Amino acid sequence: MRLGNAFFLRWVIALLLAPLMSVTLSFSAAAYDSVDYYSEYSDFLQGVPDEIAKALPEEIYSDSTDEQLYAVREMTSFGYVEEYISELLMGDIKGAVGMFFSICALLVLSSAVSAIRKSIGGEGLAKSFDICALSLNIALILSFQMSVIKAVSGFLSRLTLLTNGMIPLISLLYVSGGNVAEGSAGVGALSLFISFCENVCGKTLLPVVAICISFAVISAFSPQINMCGLANTVKKSYTFILGLLMSVMALIMNLQTVLSSKADSLSHRAAKYAVSSFIPVLGGAVGDSLRTVAAGVEYIRGMTGTLAIIIIILLLLPTVIKLLLAKTSINLCVFFAGLLGLDSEMRLLGEVSGVYGYMLAICSICSVFFIYALTLFVRCSAQMG
Amino acid sequence: MNGIFLKGLGLCVVCLVMLAVQKSLRGEFAFAIRIGSTLLFSSLCISMSTPIIKLISENGSPETNKYCRIMLKALGVVFLTGICTDACHASGESGLADYAENIGKLQILLMSTPVFEEILQCVWEMLSF
């Protein structure tokens, strides 16, 4: 009799929980379709700079996750990256070669004219002419630096804008996967880094560059006043401070991610234990369906995170290529200036080349930090599973 | 070999012979021959450097052309001032020669002033980012 009652009771519970089961199973069957991320995703794509948006495949704007994933796969192919880099090189090589030839032409003319000048006139006139020739060379070298400095400044502001646009999407996908604490830590660190990049890198890099170039100009005009040592101190201190701040932030971000991941894991395990204990038959099914949804969230996270990393790389590449080509042509000009015996111009060009190296380092560090944050976002597993 | 180059060297030898001959006859014409030969060689130098200037103006950026023009003008000023001071020194008027040199220096500085302004503007623009 007792066994019959227990059997009857189980059936009653099973019938009562049947609607709940149908809801959870349909939820799991939909997997990634259950996460409505399209509006945040489309907002993020709207924040992508126009020149990068043109290079993205059309499928990336589709509302189908499969098509988006297909586009991301296409963007990670060797052919796509090769085509993008070759297009950039074609555009930038022209500018770099133009800069090299323009500076070299003036250096050669300056050297030839100085040789002619030595045979005419007195010492005072010769000095005036040398100052005039030097100022012409400096003005030409500086006129080319403005475009490079503007490109770096534009890159930093576009990078911070792009990452700002990613925050709502990242927050949504963190929370959808049940990583509430991890999400708040990750997004908090990302916001901190955005403000750091905007206020520290964006606002200090260019003045530091300008100070170093100004010192080099002073040293070029009067070699007796050697400002190179001071310029080197400024550069070294700046890079040390930036490096230290970056390391501290990376460490904090890493530790916070690990701790919040553990906290999320603990709370979700407790919740799952409670569900499977209090719902006798369907507790396991609910757990399984949550695992499926978690897989869907991880799928979307992987896709969007990879897309964001690729966009950051696409944003970084033009600046890096421009800087590398400019640095190469300036280094060649340094060689020619040395060959022509133009010491002041050689020192100034050497300083400009060094400054390019610093700008390259800052751009790469900022991008790498954002890529690191996004990698943590992609690699963290959804806790609800 | 370039024809102008050989003609230039030939003219140099002719001027040398003329100077040597007139020194033994009438010394006062030496100055006129020197001035004439200087003008001749200046025009030769200008005509020889024309292809280089043309190459730069055709292939260089607008800034390069502008600065090349200023540099050549400055060289012209040095050249003219040099001729003038040499003439003053040859006539024993070293005071006048100093004045001529100062005028030349000032002219070169005046020509460089817009360039100094451009340099300052560039540095200021960099600092104001």
Side-chain angles (χ1 to χ4, degrees):
Chain A
M1 192 63 189
R2 269 186 192 169
L3 276 171
N5 279 343
F7 182 73
F8 178 72
L9 196 65
R10 279 191 176 185
W11 268 105
V12 168
I13 291 168
L15 282 171
L16 283 173
L17 291 174
L20 177 67
M21 191 174 87
S22 64
V23 169
T24 52
L25 289 179
S26 66
F27 191 54
S28 64
Y32 54 73
D33 286 338
S34 59
V35 185
D36 184 19
Y37 69 101
Y38 188 70
S39 79
E40 281 81 5
Y41 175 77
S42 127
D43 287 346
F44 158 60
L45 286 179
Q46 275 174 4
V48 174
D50 289 342
E51 66 272 21
I52 306 292
K54 277 179 205 162
L56 299 177
E58 275 180 27
E59 290 86 1
I60 217 86
Y61 299 98
S62 160
D63 55 356
S64 154
T65 311
D66 289 328
E67 281 188 17
Q68 289 163 8
L69 186 76
Y70 172 76
V72 173
R73 273 191 187 152
E74 195 189 318
M75 284 167 76
T76 48
S77 70
F78 184 71
Y80 179 86
V81 177
E82 188 195 1
E83 195 184 332
Y84 185 75
I85 291 176
S86 58
E87 262 177 37
L88 285 176
L89 280 173
M90 287 297 155
D92 286 339
I93 276 182
K94 221 176 172 180
V97 170
M99 177 168 88
F100 169 69
F101 278 116
S102 298
I103 295 175
C104 270
L106 199 65
L107 288 177
V108 169
L109 188 74
S110 163
S111 170
V113 162
S114 292
I116 297 168
R117 187 267 309 151
K118 276 176 191 163
S119 60
I120 325 155
E123 195 63 31
L125 204 63
K127 270 187 185 169
S128 304
F129 180 79
D130 285 346
I131 288 173
C132 174
L134 182 65
S135 62
L136 289 170
N137 285 328
I138 290 171
L140 185 69
I141 293 164
L142 290 184
S143 72
F144 283 111
Q145 307 326 309
M146 291 311 293
S147 66
V148 180
I149 291 174
K150 274 178 188 165
V152 173
S153 163
F155 164 74
L156 288 173
S157 57
R158 274 179 297 172
L159 184 68
T160 48
L161 265 176
L162 181 79
T163 330
N164 252 328
M166 273 179 339
I167 284 184
L169 180 65
I170 290 175
S171 313
L172 176 82
L173 291 173
Y174 262 127
V175 174
S176 304
N179 308 67
V180 182
E182 203 173 344
S184 66
V187 169
L190 202 62
S191 305
L192 175 74
F193 188 70
I194 288 169
S195 61
F196 173 79
C197 193
E198 215 168 13
N199 297 314
V200 180
C201 295
K203 286 183 183 161
T204 59
L205 173 69
L206 300 173
V208 167
V209 164
I211 287 167
C212 291
I213 291 179
S214 310
F215 285 165
V217 169
I218 294 167
S219 299
F221 269 120
S222 52
Q224 297 88 354
I225 308 167
N226 190 5
M227 303 290 272
C228 292
L230 191 58
N232 282 338
T233 313
V234 170
K235 278 190 287 187
K236 275 180 191 165
S237 315
Y238 182 67
T239 39
F240 173 74
I241 292 166
L242 273 189
L244 187 73
L245 285 172
M246 293 278 183
S247 309
V248 169
M249 282 205 300
L251 182 74
I252 289 172
M253 194 172 171
N254 217 350
L255 292 175
Q256 274 198 343
T257 308
V258 171
L259 289 173
S260 2
S261 167
K262 296 297 170 200
D264 281 335
S265 173
L266 182 71
S267 57
H268 279 276
R269 272 171 202 277
K272 258 179 13 190
Y273 174 74
V275 167
S276 48
S277 306
F278 288 110
I279 308 171
V281 181
L282 294 169
V286 170
D288 283 343
S289 65
L290 283 177
R291 209 167 293 143
T292 318
V293 173
V297 171
E298 279 177 14
Y299 176 79
I300 296 165
R301 246 188 228 176
M303 189 270 293
T304 50
T306 312
L307 174 67
I309 290 172
I310 295 168
I311 289 175
I312 288 179
I313 292 170
L314 293 184
L315 193 66
L316 173 72
L317 274 176
T319 317
V320 166
I321 288 176
K322 199 181 177 82
L323 278 169
L324 277 176
L325 288 174
K327 194 174 160 61
T328 311
S329 36
I330 290 289
N331 282 341
L332 285 172
C333 290
V334 171
F335 168 72
F336 271 99
L339 215 65
L340 296 166
L342 302 166
D343 292 337
S344 300
E345 283 87 348
M346 194 177 80
R347 273 199 300 274
L348 175 72
L349 285 166
E351 193 62 36
V352 168
S353 170
V355 162
Y356 277 4
Y358 280 91
M359 287 201 280
L360 202 61
I362 298 295
C363 288
S364 308
I365 284 174
C366 289
S367 309
V368 164
F369 197 91
F370 282 124
I371 290 171
Y372 174 64
L374 285 167
T375 311
L376 282 179
F377 164 69
V378 172
R379 297 291 297 170
C380 84
S381 50
Q383 296 299 343
M384 68 159 65
Chain B
M1 205 178 284
N2 199 338
I4 304 174
F5 166 68
L6 289 175
K7 279 174 197 169
L9 291 182
L11 271 170
C12 188
V13 175
V14 170
C15 287
L16 189 71
V17 172
M18 277 170 77
L19 278 168
V21 169
Q22 73 81 38
K23 261 181 194 170
S24 60
L25 298 171
R26 296 184 71 168
E28 60 265 29
F29 288 117
F31 178 68
I33 292 171
R34 265 190 215 115
I35 293 281
S37 59
T38 309
L39 290 173
L40 198 69
F41 287 117
S42 313
S43 57
L44 260 178
C45 281
I46 291 166
S47 64
M48 278 181 87
S49 57
T50 308
I52 304 166
I53 296 160
K54 202 176 169 187
L55 183 80
I56 293 170
S57 62
E58 277 172 6
N59 299 305
S61 63
E63 283 89 4
T64 317
N65 293 338
K66 191 173 83 179
Y67 297 146
C68 282
R69 218 170 290 139
I70 296 174
M71 196 175 282
L72 290 172
K73 274 183 191 171
L75 183 70
V77 171
V78 171
F79 215 74
L80 290 174
T81 317
I83 293 167
C84 200
T85 49
D86 281 351
C88 292
H89 280 301
S91 312
E93 296 291 338
S94 54
L96 272 178
D98 288 346
Y99 285 128
E101 198 172 312
N102 284 338
I103 289 170
K105 276 189 223 169
L106 279 173
Q107 180 57 33
I108 291 171
L109 285 177
L110 277 175
M111 283 164 70
S112 314
T113 314
V115 187
F116 293 143
E117 273 177 19
E118 275 177 38
I119 293 171
L120 283 175
Q121 204 181 335
C122 267
V123 173
W124 186 248
E125 209 176 319
M126 277 182 206
L127 285 167
S128 60
F129 263 116

